[in-house]
Amino acid sequence: MISCDWSSDVCSSDLFFSISGLQTNLFKSKVLFSPNTDPLTKTTISNTLGISSTNDLGKYQGFPITLSKSPTKSFQFLLEKVQKKLQGWKASLLSLAGRKAILQQCISSIPSYFFQAASIPKNICQAIDREQRNFLWGSTSDKRKIHLLNWGEISNFVMNFKKILQKG
């Protein structure tokens, strides 16, 4: 983060840069302006800094740097990530135990990383659960299969089994 006084053109980071020998990579840098900022002001500041402006800062380690006003829209990528991962597996070729192992080992770790940093909207969590249930029982958008056990019982079994393994 660079703090500047525009009236004197002196940046507080100059001392840091001179001591450390580091430099700012302007090609990797972006400026994000408020939607209320005048376009002429945006252009002036971008040209003065030599840094391009952007409307979206993207992601850092898979997590969006800026969130939209709609929490569901902000975390839609998480649902898409789970869906993409599940599509890579052929549920019809795996046994029930194999599908359950994939859900436990691969899929459940995806949202847990993001739970550490943010509160995920309830409807996104429900959609992820729905995707996992459909994968476990072999349901597709074309064909719905009967769910032999309540999803809550399966989730409780998984948590209790993990506790037993940790104790032993």
Side-chain angles (χ1 to χ4, degrees):
M1 178 72 66
I2 299 175
S3 139
C4 294
D5 178 9
W6 295 107
S7 60
S8 65
D9 292 333
V10 175
C11 290
S12 63
S13 61
D14 288 342
L15 179 62
F16 172 77
F17 291 144
S18 64
I19 293 172
S20 68
L22 298 175
Q23 294 180 333
T24 302
N25 186 339
L26 299 179
F27 295 111
K28 292 182 179 180
S29 301
K30 301 283 184 203
V31 178
L32 178 69
F33 293 100
S34 163
N36 301 329
T37 306
D38 177 49
L40 181 61
T41 305
K42 289 181 184 181
T43 305
T44 305
I45 292 173
S46 291
N47 291 341
T48 303
L49 291 173
I51 300 173
S52 61
S53 64
T54 185
N55 294 326
D56 182 22
L57 291 176
K59 296 179 181 180
Y60 177 72
Q61 294 184 349
F63 200 80
I65 294 173
T66 55
L67 301 175
S68 68
K69 290 181 181 178
S70 166
T72 302
K73 191 176 182 182
S74 295
F75 290 100
Q76 187 66 31
F77 77 95
L78 188 56
L79 176 60
E80 292 167 1
K81 194 171 190 169
V82 168
Q83 289 170 337
K84 184 179 175 184
K85 193 82 157 180
L86 288 175
Q87 287 173 357
W89 295 97
K90 300 283 186 199
S92 59
L93 300 177
L94 296 168
S95 67
L96 181 62
R99 292 191 300 264
K100 185 174 164 236
I102 287 172
L103 288 176
Q104 287 175 333
Q105 302 303 318
C106 301
I107 305 304
S108 59
S109 65
I110 294 171
S112 64
Y113 169 73
F114 296 99
F115 286 140
Q116 296 173 23
S119 179
I120 309 297
K122 186 176 182 179
N123 58 347
I124 295 291
C125 293
Q126 290 170 341
I128 290 172
D129 269 354
R130 186 179 327 108
E131 292 293 326
Q132 290 180 336
R133 281 192 309 267
N134 290 340
F135 179 80
L136 180 68
W137 300 117
S139 297
T140 63
S141 57
D142 303 332
K143 187 176 178 183
R144 181 165 160 80
K145 299 254 184 142
I146 296 173
H147 296 192
L148 302 174
L149 283 175
N150 182 337
W151 183 247
E153 291 178 30
I154 293 172
S155 298
N156 287 338
F157 173 76
V158 170
M159 294 307 289
N160 290 335
F161 187 70
K162 284 182 181 177
K163 288 178 185 175
I164 291 169
L165 288 178
Q166 290 173 351
K167 288 179 183 177

